Amino acid sequence: VLNNERLWITQAQQGNVEAFSQLVETYQKPVYNLCYRMLNNAGDAEDAAQETFMRAYKSMKRYDNARPFATWLLSIAAHYCIDNLRKRRMTIISMEEMPQLDLPDNGPTPEGLLGKKEEKNNIRELLDNIGVVDRAAVIMYYWYEYSYEEIAEVLSLSQSAVKSRLHRARREMAKRWIEKQPQTIQMERKQHESPAF
Amino acid sequence: MNHQPFEEWLFADEYLDEHERQLLEAHMRESESFTQLSTSWHQVKGMLTSSPMVAPEAGFTRRWENRLTQELTDRHRRQSMWIFIFYALGALILLVMLASMLKPFLQYPMAYLLALAYHLGIWFAGIEMVIGITSTIMKTVIDLVPYTFWFGIFVALGSLSVLWMVVIKRLTSIRRIVV
């Protein structure tokens, strides 16, 4: 796969659209997932992922072959989403009034569907309440299992900045979760009576 | 109560040694709010780590290819439009310049036409005069020089031409060109 990837990258750098299409096919899921988690909307995520690949295609000649392709691609996606969210903040339109497009779930049972949907909404709400750069760091840490160094490279930050942003995001999410479900946490705490670390 | 060092440990997501772990547990026994925070964080962490990656709807690559084709077509159209605007502007500038040059003519067309006819008349008269002088000189020269002289000149020029061609051919032949 890596050899194929190298070949596709080389060919794409020479302007071969088919080779770049292979890269799109390979990386569509991680790029889309990042955009979806960042923007919290399927339609916007599709647009952002498409735009990410478009920008990558146009900048292929500038791509440094020494750098992992996935990191480079996710860096483009993350920066695009961050800019998009910052611009969106400036608009007067309330996000509450905008229709939220839901992705079709693949869960087979109604209970599973309900649980998944609820969890998806919880994650969406938690991520929505932290800063955009912090959100990108959280997504890369938990969905892509990137190291601090890799996150720092993708987001053009220092490693200490990544650590501090992740720390802050975790605390904000935990506090938000307490505000959202205080009873559940109380009950669970009384049941277990031990910290879960 | 100050949670600061314990919050650092809780949210750093790094390995704690036995001593740190005991201190953290002790702090949790003392502080209900901190225990609540810890439980909450571990629930959030569980959700984050168990949530799968979301895939786009089928046909993402095809949609991207269509978008690329559309973008390239748009770009080509934009370039064509700019080229057209460039040439149209150039033509307009030339037209304006031409109009400014033609302005006096358009104001007094009759005077310009008469002037043109006058100048043409002068040029034709001049050309006719040159032709007359040249033919007179030629006739005089031909009458003065005998026919045998002209014949000799033609033969000499022909011989020189043949000699010139032979020399050129010899000089450019492969054997003479030393590599």
Side-chain angles (χ1 to χ4, degrees), chain A residues 20-21 25 28 33 37 46 50-51 58 103 123 141-144 170-171 174 177 188-189 195-196, chain B residues 7-8 11-13 28 32 35 40-43 51-54 56 60-61 63-65 67 71:
Chain A
F20 195 83
S21 292
E25 191 67 32
Q28 56 174 295
N33 179 65
R37 300 292 175 194
E46 167 86 14
Q50 292 274 349
E51 184 57 29
K58 286 175 189 166
L103 280 179
I123 292 171
Y141 191 84
Y142 290 103
W143 273 279
Y144 299 85
R170 285 169 187 141
R171 193 176 60 222
W177 190 241
E188 189 170 305
R189 193 174 56 78
Chain B
E7 271 195 14
E8 290 289 332
F11 295 122
D13 206 24
M28 276 188 195
E32 193 176 332
T35 311
S40 170
W41 164 236
H42 286 95
Q43 283 179 358
S51 181
M53 274 211 189
V54 185
F60 182 87
T61 308
R63 290 197 294 282
W64 180 79
E65 285 169 346
R67 189 172 168 152
E71 191 143 314

Side-chain angles (χ1 to χ4, degrees), chain B residues 129-143:
Chain B
M129 199 169 69
V130 169
I131 291 168
I133 292 167
T134 312
S135 63
T136 309
I137 291 169
M138 286 299 286
K139 274 181 188 172
T140 315
V141 170
I142 288 165
D143 289 342

Side-chain angles (χ1 to χ4, degrees), chain A residues 155-169:
Chain A
L155 297 176
S156 316
L157 297 169
S158 66
Q159 281 191 52
S160 58
V162 170
K163 277 185 189 179
S164 114
R165 280 179 180 277
L166 278 171
H167 185 277
R168 185 175 59 196

Side-chain angles (χ1 to χ4, degrees), chain A residues 100-165:
Chain A
Q100 293 275 326
L101 289 174
D102 283 332
L103 280 179
D105 280 328
N106 299 321
T109 61
E111 293 84 6
L113 273 171
L114 200 69
K116 269 191 177 181
K117 188 164 180 150
E118 198 184 332
E119 191 171 295
K120 198 166 74 180
N121 285 338
N122 287 335
I123 292 171
R124 176 187 287 175
E125 203 184 317
L126 287 169
L127 289 175
D128 214 21
N129 279 288
I130 55 175
V132 288
V133 181
D134 298 4
R135 194 184 308 174
V138 166
I139 294 164
M140 282 178 197
Y141 191 84
Y142 290 103
W143 273 279
Y144 299 85
E145 294 177 352
Y146 272 17
S147 63
Y148 293 134
E149 192 185 349
E150 284 169 318
I151 297 171
E153 194 188 333
V154 170
L155 297 176
S156 316
L157 297 169
S158 66
Q159 281 191 52
S160 58
V162 170
K163 277 185 189 179
S164 114
R165 280 179 180 277

Side-chain angles (χ1 to χ4, degrees), chain A residues 2-3 18 32 75 82 88 137 142 150 152 154 157 168 178:
Chain A
L2 274 175
N3 283 341
E18 279 178 29
Y32 180 83
S75 172
I82 289 167
R88 204 188 282 182
Y142 290 103
E150 284 169 318
V154 170
L157 297 169
R168 185 175 59 196
I178 292 171

Side-chain angles (χ1 to χ4, degrees), chain B residues 89-100:
Chain B
L89 274 174
L92 192 71
I93 290 165
L94 284 175
L95 200 68
V96 168
M97 285 166 70
L98 194 67
S100 67

Side-chain angles (χ1 to χ4, degrees), chain B residues 73-177:
Chain B
T73 311
D74 288 350
R75 194 198 295 174
H76 183 70
R77 197 175 296 150
R78 276 197 302 276
Q79 280 175 347
S80 305
M81 198 183 72
W82 280 114
I83 289 169
F84 174 76
I85 289 170
F86 177 77
Y87 281 116
L89 274 174
L92 192 71
I93 290 165
L94 284 175
L95 200 68
V96 168
M97 285 166 70
L98 194 67
S100 67
M101 283 167 73
L102 287 174
K103 196 182 171 188
F105 173 76
L106 293 171
Q107 280 174 335
Y108 311 104
M110 210 51 213
Y112 273 88
L113 284 173
L114 283 173
L116 182 70
Y118 173 73
H119 282 290
L120 283 173
I122 290 173
W123 289 339
F124 283 129
I127 290 165
E128 204 176 314
M129 199 169 69
V130 169
I131 291 168
I133 292 167
T134 312
S135 63
T136 309
I137 291 169
M138 286 299 286
K139 274 181 188 172
T140 315
V141 170
I142 288 165
D143 289 342
L144 281 174
V145 180
Y147 291 108
T148 48
F149 177 77
W150 289 114
F151 180 74
I153 283 179
F154 282 121
V155 169
L157 283 172
S159 306
L160 281 170
S161 302
V162 170
L163 183 67
W164 179 68
M165 282 190 286
V166 169
V167 168
I168 290 291
K169 197 172 180 184
R170 288 244 172 150
L171 284 171
T172 55
S173 67
I174 295 165
R175 275 182 300 171
R176 283 200 173 263
I177 296 169

